[in-house]
Amino acid sequence: MNSDFIIGVIGLGYVGFPLACLFADKYKVIGFDMSRERVDELNAGHDHTAEVTAECHAKALANGLKCTTEWEVLRACNVYIVAVPTPVDDQHHPDLTPLEKASRTVGEVISKGDIVIYESTVYPGATEDFCAPIIEEVSGLKFNSDFFMGYSPERINPGDKDHRVENIRKITSGSTPEIAETIDRLYNSVLLNGTFRASSIKVAEAAKIMENTQRDINIAFMNEMAVVMNAIGIGISEVIEAAGTKWNFLKFQPGLVGGHCIGVDPYYLIDKAKQVGIYPRLTAEARRINEAMGGYVAERIIKCMTLNGKAENNARILLLGFTFKENCPDIRNTKVVEIYKRLAPYTSYIDVLDPWVNPDMAQKEYGIKTVSSIDGLRYSSYDAVVHCVAHDCFRELDFNSLCAEDGGIVFDAKGTLPPPYDKYLNTNKLYDEYNNSNLLQKNEKKQKFNHSDGIGNPGTEKSACSSLAACGHDCLLG
């Protein structure tokens, strides 16, 4: 291994900065990002993504990691790792603008013999067919003669403290056999669980996009089953639990599919497939199903409120959680926004509480005001409290105290609330009892709130959500 490698990491977000810290353990590393605010916070020892521990961050800086917005500094590097976002546009077509800009930056600083490794998720062929020509054009150098390329797809899972970059197994690849060997050794020198060397860059690109597309399709199936089971009147959580007793059943859960990977990457595959004359129907339909789930959840909230005699017009609604997943600050492509937008035409009294979110970022990105603590809420009680994201901190909340005195509802969109709010997860028996007893009236005296997921089985209109016990709680998103 060449100890003289100087590594330049381009893009210091959820992927790039953990990589920069990892390689700084053994190599000189320069991190480049176009955001002055991001660079300043990293150089000051703060990482708002929380993907790198304070200890690792401090160690990397002590080892000489330097973050900068000045691209000229990258000239000192001989290995470049590109880790910029690969989003889609409003029509769900790949937006390669960040990748193009990063490739042009590399072209400005690259020298003969240097290696460029891409980690950004792309369609098969993008590294060699899209990025390489840009570097050639800007640098005047020839691909696979003057400079070389590789691809090692990122596998960052925001908020996952068990599968950090240092202890996951990574795919590597190179544009020649010799470069593939060099890149594989480079990553192996810092990874605890090694690598898998793909036979080509295109194979590595395809593997990454297949990983995420497979998960998207599996979740879409569960979402479709949740909608079907809800229409039938069966709780999806119970069905999954029962089906899960078979040894080869895959226990995927239904839910909102947002974030930077699963909700975006399949579009790159769809677009590339169309270019070669194939329409991937299953992949496209999975995307359609998952994209619609935010609206479906909002409709279930409105229905649950209606069945409880709570008019949605001008109702006070509290959304708990705004990130795309639990226990992380990542708001990229969060589908809670879809719930908010669907409810907004009915009422302007919607509050969003999320201690993980930077309110300034949420306001800038989505134009939605969020607060970080209960003290920041506009109201003391709400007609509907919607559990959107299963942050651990929400398990300590007293949902009863957040509901209106005249009977607000608790809508558990995740199916993860602790006792007493999960007490009536399986309520088919309670529906039967209600028809033959005064259970409803008894519970009205004991409970001031009504508990429902609203997306599973809300019960019949006769018993519908009029009390905690008489309300169905068969969660779609459990």
Side-chain angles (χ1 to χ4, degrees):
M1 177 54 55
N2 188 346
S3 60
D4 295 329
F5 280 147
I6 301 175
I7 300 173
V9 178
I10 299 173
L12 298 176
Y14 280 84
V15 175
F17 186 62
L19 270 178
C21 290
L22 180 63
F23 280 112
D25 271 346
K26 292 193 175 182
Y27 306 96
K28 180 177 180 180
V29 178
I30 300 173
F32 171 81
D33 199 283
M34 295 178 64
S35 169
R36 168 57 64 183
E37 182 180 5
R38 176 63 170 160
V39 166
D40 286 346
E41 77 162 4
L42 293 178
N43 283 332
H46 174 66
D47 172 26
H48 76 265
T49 71
E51 287 303 305
V52 175
T53 66
E55 180 183 2
C56 290
H57 191 157
K59 182 180 178 183
L61 294 177
N63 286 339
L65 171 61
K66 182 183 301 183
C67 301
T68 182
T69 58
E70 299 176 8
W71 60 266
E72 295 91 345
V73 179
L74 293 170
R75 292 188 189 278
C77 302
N78 46 31
V79 173
Y80 301 91
I81 299 178
V82 177
V84 297
T86 43
V88 292
D89 62 21
D90 293 338
Q91 301 302 313
H92 295 145
H93 298 306
D95 179 3
L96 297 177
T97 303
L99 204 63
E100 178 183 359
K101 289 181 178 179
S103 297
R104 289 191 176 279
T105 297
V106 172
E108 293 285 354
V109 298
I110 197 169
S111 299
K112 280 189 175 183
D114 289 354
I115 301 172
V116 188
I117 305 167
Y118 286 82
E119 292 235 354
S120 307
T121 304
V122 292
Y123 56 81
T127 301
E128 294 162 295
D129 301 338
F130 178 80
C131 300
I134 293 173
I135 297 175
E136 285 185 320
E137 175 193 345
V138 176
S139 68
L141 301 176
K142 186 173 178 56
F143 173 45
N144 267 352
S145 177
D146 298 323
F147 71 94
F148 305 90
M149 303 183 77
Y151 185 76
S152 180
E154 60 89 5
R155 281 176 167 169
I156 294 294
N157 183 25
D160 188 341
K161 306 308 179 186
D162 295 323
H163 302 96
R164 294 184 181 274
V165 64
E166 64 269 16
N167 59 24
I168 61 174
R169 192 180 184 195
K170 280 181 62 64
I171 297 171
T172 65
S173 62
S175 55
T176 70
E178 294 76 18
I179 292 301
E181 171 70 18
T182 298
I183 292 172
D184 194 63
R185 283 187 169 187
L186 174 64
Y187 277 90
N188 262 307
S189 70
V190 293
L191 294 173
L192 297 176
N193 289 311
T195 62
F196 177 90
R197 192 193 314 175
S199 60
S200 69
I201 288 177
K202 286 185 175 66
V203 167
E205 292 167 326
K208 168 60 180 177
I209 213 161
M210 181 184 286
E211 292 172 14
N212 288 345
T213 301
Q214 180 191 66
R215 184 165 175 79
D216 192 47
I217 290 171
N218 281 320
I219 295 173
F221 173 72
M222 288 303 190
N223 279 336
E224 186 169 67
M225 286 299 97
V227 173
V228 172
M229 296 305 162
N230 171 63
I232 296 173
I234 303 173
I236 185 64
S237 296
E238 292 179 275
V239 176
I240 293 173
E241 182 181 9
T245 59
K246 188 172 187 233
W247 60 91
N248 61 352
F249 179 80
L250 303 177
K251 295 184 71 172
F252 283 86
Q253 299 293 329
L256 301 177
V257 181
H260 67 301
C261 284
I262 301 174
V264 174
D265 299 346
Y267 290 119
Y268 277 71
L269 180 59
I270 292 170
D271 192 79
K272 183 62 177 180
K274 289 179 179 178
Q275 290 178 25
V276 295
I278 296 173
Y279 184 73
R281 289 180 175 82
L282 179 61
T283 303
E285 183 63 13
R287 280 283 74 233
R288 186 196 66 78
I289 291 171
N290 287 339
E291 284 291 325
M293 293 313 294
Y296 179 75
V297 171
E299 290 170 6
R300 299 300 301 170
I301 295 171
I302 294 170
K303 183 175 182 179
C304 190
M305 292 180 67
T306 301
L307 292 174
N308 275 279
K310 306 294 292 187
E312 62 270 18
N313 290 330
N314 299 318
R316 292 181 178 181
I317 300 175
L318 174 60
L319 302 183
L320 295 175
F322 192 72
T323 59
F324 92 89
K325 63 177 292 189
E326 65 276 3
N327 302 323
C328 81
D330 197 344
I331 61 173
R332 292 175 295 173
N333 194 30
T334 173
K335 296 307 177 182
V336 179
V337 170
E338 299 303 317
I339 298 175
Y340 184 100
K341 288 181 177 178
R342 291 295 186 97
L343 296 175
Y346 297 97
T347 177
S348 59
Y349 307 114
I350 304 175
D351 279 354
V352 182
L353 171 64
D354 196 325
W356 281 90
V357 169
N358 182 322
D360 292 337
M361 288 186 175
Q363 183 69 46
K364 180 180 179 180
E365 184 69 23
Y366 298 106
I368 295 175
K369 181 181 179 181
T370 66
V371 298
S372 300
S373 68
I374 289 180
D375 293 339
L377 296 176
R378 289 183 292 174
Y379 314 111
S380 59
S381 63
Y382 294 84
D383 299 303
V385 178
V386 185
H387 184 231
C388 299
V389 185
H391 292 319
D392 289 344
C393 57
F394 289 152
R395 297 178 66 87
E396 307 301 322
L397 285 180
D398 180 1
F399 287 83
N400 190 26
S401 68
L402 293 172
C403 290
E405 288 292 337
D406 61 350
I409 66 166
V410 171
F411 185 100
D412 184 10
K414 293 296 294 181
T416 59
L417 291 182
Y421 309 106
D422 66 345
K423 184 176 181 181
Y424 298 100
L425 282 173
N426 304 307
T427 54
N428 291 333
K429 182 178 179 181
L430 288 173
Y431 297 141
D432 295 336
E433 289 178 352
Y434 166 73
N435 291 327
N436 299 304
S437 71
N438 293 322
L439 177 64
L440 176 61
Q441 288 77 10
K442 292 178 182 178
N443 279 285
E444 279 180 334
K445 295 177 182 178
K446 296 179 180 179
Q447 303 287 348
K448 83 167 186 177
F449 67 91
N450 309 311
H451 186 209
S452 176
D453 74 340
I455 15 180
N457 184 358
T460 63
E461 290 202 20
K462 185 175 181 181
S463 65
C465 304
S466 296
S467 76
L468 174 65
C471 167
H473 188 295
D474 299 319
C475 273
L476 169 67
L477 307 181

